[in-house]
Amino acid sequence: MKSIEVISAGMHTSFQDLGRFNFAHWGCPVSGVMDEYHAKLANTLVQNSLDEGVLEISLLGPTLKFMHDALICVSGLEAKIQLNDQLKKINHAFVVQSGDVLKIPQITRGNRVYLAVHGGFNRKKILGSVAQFQSITKNFSLQKGEYLQLNKIDLEFAKLNLNAHVSVENEHYKQHEIIVQKGPEFKAYQVELTKALQSSLFQIGKNSNRMGVELLPELQLNSTPILTNIIQPGCVQLTPSGKLIVLMKDAQVSGGYPRVLVLPQRSTDVLSQKRTGEEVRLVLG
Amino acid sequence: MLIQLENEINPINLQHILQIKTIVKRLFPSSYTYNTYAEVGIRFPYFEDLTEKIKLLKAEFNAEKNEERTLQLTSKTIEVPVCYAEELAPDLNAFLQQKNMTLEKFIELHTQPKYLVYFIGFLPGFLYLGGLDKQLYHPRKANPDPKIEAGSVGIGHHQTGIYPQDSPGGWHIVGKTPIDLFDVNQAEASPFQSGDQIQFKPISLEEYKFQIQQMK
């Protein structure tokens, strides 16, 4: 059942869900959505379960042609969402009809938005997840010309009440403060690190992606590599030259830089939406 | 949950790790465990209070402490064919020159040991192996190659290993294996697990090409 044609794929659009959990013993990263709050919100608004696969769309989004009716939602901070020539609201479910073209030309606040479709995409899970990742799935991003299938659903679109009130609580995404906790190697760098966190604002570096977010400038602090140990999304590594790197969803499963801090999920959600050049302050909580 | 052991690379550490994993599996069947050289990571399916679990684990581990730790590191040795032909091993000649070593001597030293699989990490299917002969220790390249082909066998510092997919890398490429180290289409995407041993078996270029053909 061909349901959606990918007219253009956008800058980087990929299938994601809550991740590929139990395959670290084969070296597979967790993967999954960078901003869990908004991905879950998108699924919630179209009445899906929270771990249903969604499209994660970065900065310049795709153009998708629907080949039959569907109930969909785009969630995130701010984006231009066009259905044919009509503008649609973010974080609101709406119905698309067969033949409609959905365009997300630009994300205007944050880095990523999530597209969920009621009933979910009909997508094969590989190692327990639909998340796209090199060497695990055939492609690591959506491809132009691809057809996406939807699961069969029974929905009377005419009878839907789409005006139900949903409170979107994403004000905290506007704050500069990001709560961090102590990591396994915090102690060895405690004095310098605590001082640095109190006095510095960090900028999101341009080498930030789904694997990690770099925080600049580098600290006046040198670290010593550790034995290759376990790392996972949320860990903050301190490189030998003093750079802090927050590991994100596609991070490797093992690494040899000290893990000085750890971000809780709510903090990585917020960080994933901070753009290159934006400033943050890390607050030990 | 993260359990840390002595920060070192040795078979005894790995033995303890495998033992801890066995205990954790027995106590908490729904948990998921994995490891590196000196750490065990444990994931539980739901958020739970870990205090009780840690107590239980400690008691169990201490109870076994005085017993003979007879857990075998592995019952499994897997043979991995490697072709050391020049056209598949771009860095081999330079390596031999710097070491002042013959190709025969090199192959002997590289294929003799049984390498211990400590864990899989870095990339899907990448094996962290222990047991490289000291005579083959060689510093990593100053400038990593932008693309090393999947299957390439390399030496870097005190380690030898196989690149499971095309990727950048800083090791000296001294051979190539025709086998797939990671293939999600197989029942087991990686044929290896922590605690296994592998042994390289030298094959000719013809044999390499034949095996590649067979896999297609």
Side-chain angles (χ1 to χ4, degrees):
Chain A
M1 194 166 67
K2 287 176 178 174
S3 308
I4 298 174
E5 183 186 352
V6 180
I7 307 280
S8 74
M11 191 171 103
H12 186 86
T13 305
S14 64
F15 273 101
Q16 299 293 342
D17 51 22
L18 294 184
R20 186 170 277 118
F21 282 102
N22 295 345
F23 293 93
H25 63 293
W26 283 341
C28 302
V30 173
S31 298
V33 292
M34 291 277 279
D35 179 357
E36 287 192 10
Y37 174 79
H38 285 105
K40 287 175 178 170
L41 180 65
N43 270 327
T44 304
L45 289 173
V46 295
Q47 300 163 27
N48 285 347
S49 66
L50 297 181
D51 58 357
E52 192 64 58
V54 294
L55 281 177
E56 180 174 276
I57 295 165
S58 316
L59 293 176
L60 309 171
T63 303
L64 306 171
K65 184 173 180 182
F66 283 77
M67 298 167 90
H68 60 77
D69 302 357
L71 172 66
I72 72 169
C73 177
V74 178
S75 283
L77 293 176
E78 266 177 42
K80 197 174 173 192
I81 304 162
Q82 289 172 286
L83 187 65
N84 303 323
D85 290 324
Q86 197 189 350
L87 282 178
K88 288 287 179 186
K89 275 193 205 163
I90 199 160
N91 301 326
H92 282 72
F94 56 93
V95 171
V96 297
Q97 285 167 343
S98 180
D100 282 353
V101 174
L102 177 77
K103 234 187 222 179
I104 304 175
Q106 212 184 357
I107 293 173
T108 43
R109 189 180 186 114
N111 289 314
R112 294 170 183 87
V113 296
Y114 294 90
L115 170 66
V117 178
H118 173 75
F121 293 93
N122 182 358
R123 197 87 186 162
K124 195 178 156 202
K125 286 188 179 180
I126 297 177
L127 304 183
S129 165
V130 301
Q132 292 185 294
F133 188 79
Q134 207 172 3
S135 89
I136 295 175
T137 55
K138 190 166 145 242
N139 298 311
F140 65 97
S141 65
L142 200 66
Q143 304 293 307
K144 181 183 172 174
E146 236 185 298
Y147 286 95
L148 312 178
Q149 297 178 10
L150 299 182
N151 289 322
K152 246 190 134 133
I153 45 143
D154 230 359
L155 190 64
E156 288 185 60
F157 290 102
K159 286 190 183 163
L160 284 175
N161 173 13
L162 295 175
N163 296 318
H165 176 76
V166 177
S167 80
V168 177
E169 290 166 10
N170 60 8
E171 280 301 306
H172 61 289
Y173 281 78
K174 293 178 184 161
Q175 291 169 5
H176 300 297
E177 282 82 21
I178 296 212
I179 303 289
V180 300
Q181 293 158 357
K182 296 171 186 172
E185 280 78 47
F186 177 81
K187 259 200 182 140
Y189 304 92
Q190 184 161 15
V191 179
E192 300 96 321
L193 203 57
T194 311
K195 215 194 296 170
L197 294 191
Q198 280 164 357
S199 60
S200 336
L201 272 176
F202 295 97
Q203 271 192 354
I204 309 295
K206 66 177 185 325
N207 294 318
S208 300
N209 50 38
R210 285 190 42 87
M211 288 181 73
V213 169
E214 59 170 17
L215 300 176
L216 302 174
E218 294 183 346
L219 302 177
Q220 300 295 323
L221 176 62
N222 294 324
S223 79
T224 322
I226 54 171
L227 196 61
T228 303
N229 273 337
I230 287 175
I231 53 176
Q232 61 178 25
C235 280
V236 185
Q237 294 182 317
L238 180 65
T239 69
S241 64
K243 191 193 289 177
L244 292 174
I245 298 176
V246 184
L247 299 174
M248 302 303 274
K249 290 297 177 78
D250 279 347
Q252 296 170 24
V253 300
S254 58
Y257 296 142
R259 304 154 293 183
V260 290
L261 300 168
V262 176
L263 270 64
Q265 185 58 48
R266 187 178 155 95
S267 295
T268 43
D269 280 0
V270 172
L271 189 70
S272 77
Q273 295 291 11
K274 298 285 182 196
R275 290 190 170 184
T276 304
E278 268 191 78
E279 288 182 328
V280 295
R281 187 182 290 283
L282 304 183
V283 181
L284 262 175
Chain B
M1 182 149 87
L2 190 68
I3 299 178
Q4 292 183 307
L5 288 86
E6 289 293 318
N7 248 324
E8 51 194 43
I9 303 175
N10 67 49
I12 298 181
N13 229 7
L14 183 61
Q15 205 159 342
H16 289 169
I17 283 175
L18 296 177
Q19 188 181 17
I20 290 171
K21 283 168 77 172
T22 311
I23 296 174
V24 171
K25 269 278 135 197
R26 193 171 66 227
L27 290 179
F28 320 115
S30 65
S31 67
Y32 166 75
T33 61
Y34 65 111
N35 67 282
T36 54
Y37 291 118
E39 286 185 347
V40 183
I42 309 173
R43 293 179 185 162
F44 296 98
Y46 302 102
F47 285 109
E48 293 174 75
D49 182 12
L50 296 180
T51 333
E52 274 303 307
K53 289 191 159 53
I54 292 170
K55 245 191 236 166
L56 252 172
L57 248 177
K58 274 186 181 162
E60 192 81 4
F61 192 68
N62 288 334
E64 289 198 15
K65 206 166 183 178
N66 297 326
E67 292 170 23
E68 196 75 12
R69 288 188 202 274
T70 51
L71 194 71
Q72 284 299 303
L73 269 181
T74 178
S75 49
K76 209 160 85 176
T77 300
I78 303 173
E79 224 175 52
V80 176
V82 177
C83 175
Y84 296 94
E86 206 180 329
E87 61 181 286
L88 299 176
D91 303 321
L92 186 53
N93 269 338
F95 186 98
L96 295 176
Q97 268 173 24
Q98 283 183 29
K99 291 273 177 195
N100 199 13
M101 189 182 279
T102 64
L103 178 62
E104 290 69 30
K105 181 72 181 167
F106 173 83
I107 293 177
E108 187 193 315
L109 290 174
H110 197 245
T111 53
Q112 217 163 40
K114 281 188 174 179
Y115 297 100
L116 181 58
V117 177
Y118 279 93
F119 64 100
I120 302 178
F122 172 44
L123 296 168
F126 183 86
L127 308 172
Y128 282 83
L129 299 174
L132 182 66
D133 192 294
K134 280 198 173 71
Q135 296 173 67
L136 298 181
Y137 285 4
H138 202 52
R140 279 175 213 145
K141 289 182 179 174
N143 296 307
D145 290 321
K147 189 186 164 189
I148 290 174
E149 287 177 25
S152 295
V153 177
I155 289 179
H157 199 40
H158 299 172
Q159 290 187 78
T160 187
I162 312 166
Y163 286 85
Q165 59 188 77
D166 293 355
S167 60
W171 288 10
H172 305 271
I173 303 307
V174 296
K176 204 170 181 187
T177 179
I179 68 162
D180 241 334
L181 270 92
F182 188 77
D183 180 1
V184 291
N185 298 313
Q186 302 294 323
E188 297 281 303
S190 168
F192 309 100
Q193 59 175 337
S194 187
D196 283 348
Q197 287 183 293
I198 76 167
Q199 188 154 28
F200 294 129
K201 180 186 151 218
I203 57 169
S204 66
L205 188 56
E206 287 72 32
E207 177 67 19
Y208 173 86
K209 285 182 177 164
F210 176 74
Q211 289 200 25
I212 290 280
Q213 207 61 41
Q214 290 284 302
M215 283 171 43
K216 277 182 183 163

